[in-house]
Amino acid sequence: MEKLDRRLHAFRPDLADVKLQGRVEAERFVEGRPARVVAPVSNIHAAPAFDAGVDSQLLHGEGVRVFDEAEGWSWIQAETDNYVGYVETATLAQGATDLTHVVCAVRSFVYPQAELKSPPVDAHSMGARVKVVGQEEKRGTRYALLAGGGAMIADHLRPVDDHAPDYVEIAERFLHTPYLWGGRSGFGIDCSGLVQLSMQMAGRLCPRDTDMQASGLGEPIDQLQLRRGDLVFWKGHVAIVLDEQSIIHANGHTMTVAVEPLEQAIERVARLYDRPTGYRRA
């Protein structure tokens, strides 16, 4: 049988994606049913348990395929990046929805009505998707009215097919966002999550994990060729080049998304681990 990456292919000894029939061994094969995330953020765990590691996250409105449900957990594969893992079933709803807008602010509130002084009922991260069914303006503030009720600041949303021109500028908006292992949202984010979410907001497909990005994004280049938008890789870490002298990255040193001189970062990381493993033009 073919050796496949379990992060990107749904297979277990008892169950597997029907698309993998003939490529992996499993007791039975099923076709995943469509569902979408209805929580602001849904953690993807390595196993169906809260104390299992969080490998990644899904954002509100993102689609998945569900292969199995048991004891409050769903075994899923994300539509965005094919990531496989376990999420709380309560964070999903069956079927797909015609979502019209994506959140373009790092974080934004959902109000019960078109009134910013009303207590928020929810909050969404950049990249979350919603369905807008109307607009309302009050005292100079425009609100987007959401399907199912609630309102958001209209300027915090943009049509789903309206992409940012510069993914690096998107990454810069996350400055000071807390570092979170497995994080992929404006509430907390890790190094590869920052790269992936920023690129997605610019309409670019991007793998989830650092090793996937280091082998599957763009072309290798030399350090002397670095320019804005290039990527610097260490083993298990990635940073985005802002200019010839500086990078931005979500990192465990500051525990935030931070800007740092490139050479300083190289020397600091080298003292603890090693020097960069490579540079790529994405």
Side-chain angles (χ1 to χ4, degrees):
M1 292 286 102
E2 188 176 351
K3 186 174 182 179
L4 300 175
D5 190 334
R6 291 183 178 272
R7 296 172 296 175
L8 299 176
H9 299 88
F11 64 99
R12 310 183 311 208
D14 65 318
L15 185 66
D17 183 354
V18 69
K19 295 178 181 178
L20 300 179
Q21 201 158 8
R23 301 177 66 188
V24 299
E25 292 182 350
E27 293 177 8
R28 62 191 181 96
F29 294 84
V30 299
E31 185 173 350
R33 61 171 178 79
R36 60 185 173 88
V37 178
V38 292
V41 177
S42 181
N43 290 330
I44 300 180
H45 293 262
F50 288 111
D51 58 356
V54 175
D55 290 334
S56 189
Q57 293 178 323
L58 294 163
L59 303 179
H60 184 275
E62 290 190 317
V64 301
R65 286 190 299 146
V66 179
F67 298 101
D68 190 27
E69 288 183 18
E71 299 180 350
W73 293 91
S74 292
W75 187 44
I76 60 90
Q77 183 169 35
E79 289 182 355
T80 302
D81 56 16
N82 294 321
Y83 218 91
V84 174
Y86 295 86
V87 302
E88 291 182 77
T89 300
T91 65
L92 303 177
Q94 290 190 15
T97 299
D98 181 21
L99 303 176
T100 62
H101 287 70
V102 61
V103 177
C104 57
V106 175
R107 295 166 292 275
S108 188
F109 295 110
V110 179
Y111 301 97
Q113 57 187 329
E115 173 52 69
L116 59 82
K117 293 183 180 180
S118 58
V121 295
D122 233 331
H124 288 316
S125 163
M126 180 185 289
R129 297 190 170 207
V130 297
K131 184 173 183 178
V132 174
V133 294
Q135 287 201 9
E136 186 173 337
E137 184 170 336
K138 283 188 176 180
R139 295 184 294 277
T141 300
R142 293 188 309 114
Y143 298 88
L145 306 180
L146 307 181
M152 297 183 70
I153 302 299
D155 287 347
H156 289 183
L157 302 173
R158 71 177 191 221
V160 292
D161 56 355
D162 181 8
H163 303 302
D166 179 12
Y167 96 90
V168 183
E169 188 273 331
I170 295 295
E172 291 177 294
R173 297 187 198 179
F174 285 90
L175 195 63
H176 307 306
T177 298
Y179 176 86
L180 178 67
W181 180 271
R184 189 177 154 265
S185 84
F187 305 112
I189 201 162
D190 65 17
C191 62
S192 55
L194 178 65
V195 173
Q196 186 193 50
L197 183 53
S198 299
M199 285 193 174
Q200 287 176 351
M201 294 300 292
R204 301 175 60 179
L205 295 177
C206 178
R208 175 59 180 95
D209 291 341
T210 305
D211 63 320
M212 301 174 188
Q213 295 172 359
S215 62
L217 269 181
E219 300 294 335
I221 57 173
D222 186 81
Q223 182 180 353
L224 295 176
Q225 298 174 284
L226 288 175
R227 68 187 187 197
R228 182 177 175 87
D230 292 337
L231 300 172
V232 182
F233 288 95
W234 289 262
K235 184 178 180 180
H237 187 62
V238 61
I240 302 168
V241 174
L242 289 179
D243 52 46
E244 293 180 355
Q245 288 81 36
S246 59
I247 57 173
I248 184 169
H249 57 157
N251 67 90
H253 177 62
T254 65
M255 289 302 294
T256 62
V257 175
V259 173
E260 185 174 6
L262 174 59
E263 289 301 329
Q264 176 180 300
I266 289 175
E267 295 305 316
R268 177 178 59 77
V269 176
R271 289 194 294 270
L272 297 172
Y273 303 104
D274 210 339
R275 297 186 69 81
T277 56
Y279 309 87
R280 297 186 77 88
R281 178 150 299 152

